[in-house]
């Protein structure tokens, strides 16, 4: 059902993963099951988009069975509004494992939340899977640790736009 809902959204809209590509040329085909992620970073971006869209089926499909939770409680998730890839190690088209470090920003009411994680991925039978993530300490910048954000403050997702013109819409 969630994959169908994602399919109904316009494919020419910007992809939520922040790649700069249209949804239909980026994460859309992955979430719809028409394509596979070619790299660990592509899987990371598509999983972020699945969290944005609360697409449990895709998250289950791309989560390694050895670490997949029984209950993900997507309804309790905050509203994710920005993703920035910090670094990648391996995870290319010819690798069998990879690491992706990212910072994701979300809103829980008027509170901004920042998740800084280093995620581990493996490729099994040609498919990239998320294994586990290590949560990293928040940046020293108080804005990166969360808290109330003003409408005219810079958006914490890293877009360079004001909050009211970005995640605060």
């Amino acid at each position: 059902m969630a994959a169908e809902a994602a399919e109904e959204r316009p494919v020419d809209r910007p992809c939520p993963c922040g790649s700069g590509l249209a949804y239909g040329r980026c994460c859309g085909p992955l979430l719809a099951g028409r394509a596979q992620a070619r790299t660990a970073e592509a899987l990371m971006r598509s999983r972020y988009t699945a969290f944005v869209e609360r697409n449990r089926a895709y998250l289950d499909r791309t989560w390694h069975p050895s670490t997949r939770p029984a209950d993900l409680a997507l309804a309790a998730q905050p509203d994710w509004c920005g993703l920035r890839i910090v670094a990648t190690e391996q995870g290319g088209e010819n690798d069998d494992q990879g690491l992706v470090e990212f910072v994701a920003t979300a809103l829980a009411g008027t509170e901004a939340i920042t998740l800084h994680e280093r995620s581990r991925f493996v490729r099994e039978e040609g498919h990239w899977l998320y294994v586990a993530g290590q949560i990293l300490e928040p940046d020293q910048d108080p804005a990166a640790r969360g808290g109330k954000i003003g409408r005219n403050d810079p958006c914490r997702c890293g877009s360079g736009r004001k909050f009211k013109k970005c995640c605060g819409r």
Side-chain angles (χ1 to χ4, degrees):
M1 179 95 158
E4 292 169 7
E7 194 64 27
E8 293 170 6
R9 294 187 175 99
V11 295
D12 59 345
R13 69 182 166 104
C15 192
C17 79
S19 67
L21 297 173
Y23 179 78
R25 296 193 58 226
C26 191
C27 295
L30 301 174
L31 272 68
R34 294 191 312 268
Q36 292 290 323
R38 296 174 63 174
T39 65
E41 181 180 338
L43 184 66
M44 174 63 238
R45 287 181 177 281
S46 66
R47 286 179 53 82
Y48 169 83
T49 298
F51 274 103
V52 169
E53 297 183 351
R54 291 171 167 72
N55 185 331
R56 173 68 193 252
Y58 184 76
L59 292 167
D60 283 345
R61 200 168 56 244
T62 59
W63 208 311
H64 197 276
S66 68
T67 58
R68 183 185 311 133
D71 183 29
L72 196 52
L74 287 176
Q77 290 282 315
D79 293 321
W80 296 102
C81 59
L83 175 69
R84 181 173 52 92
I85 303 297
V86 175
T88 59
E89 291 179 27
Q90 297 183 311
E93 293 184 33
N94 298 316
D95 294 320
D96 289 327
Q97 58 185 346
L99 297 170
V100 179
E101 182 179 342
F102 68 92
V103 175
T105 307
L107 289 178
T110 60
E111 297 290 318
I113 299 168
T114 301
L115 171 66
H116 188 173
E117 181 176 307
R118 188 171 172 88
S119 297
R120 186 166 57 96
F121 297 87
V122 295
R123 184 165 42 191
E124 293 182 352
E125 299 179 12
H127 301 284
W128 282 105
L129 299 168
Y130 168 79
V131 177
Q134 174 190 8
I135 305 294
L136 302 173
E137 290 296 318
D139 299 331
Q140 296 304 307
D141 175 10
R145 288 195 297 267
K148 292 195 185 297
I149 184 167
R151 291 177 37 79
N152 289 317
D153 289 341
C155 193
R156 294 187 186 150
C157 74
S159 68
R161 294 178 291 185
K162 288 183 179 183
F163 174 73
K164 68 182 177 185
K165 297 282 187 175
C166 193
C167 295
R169 285 183 294 188

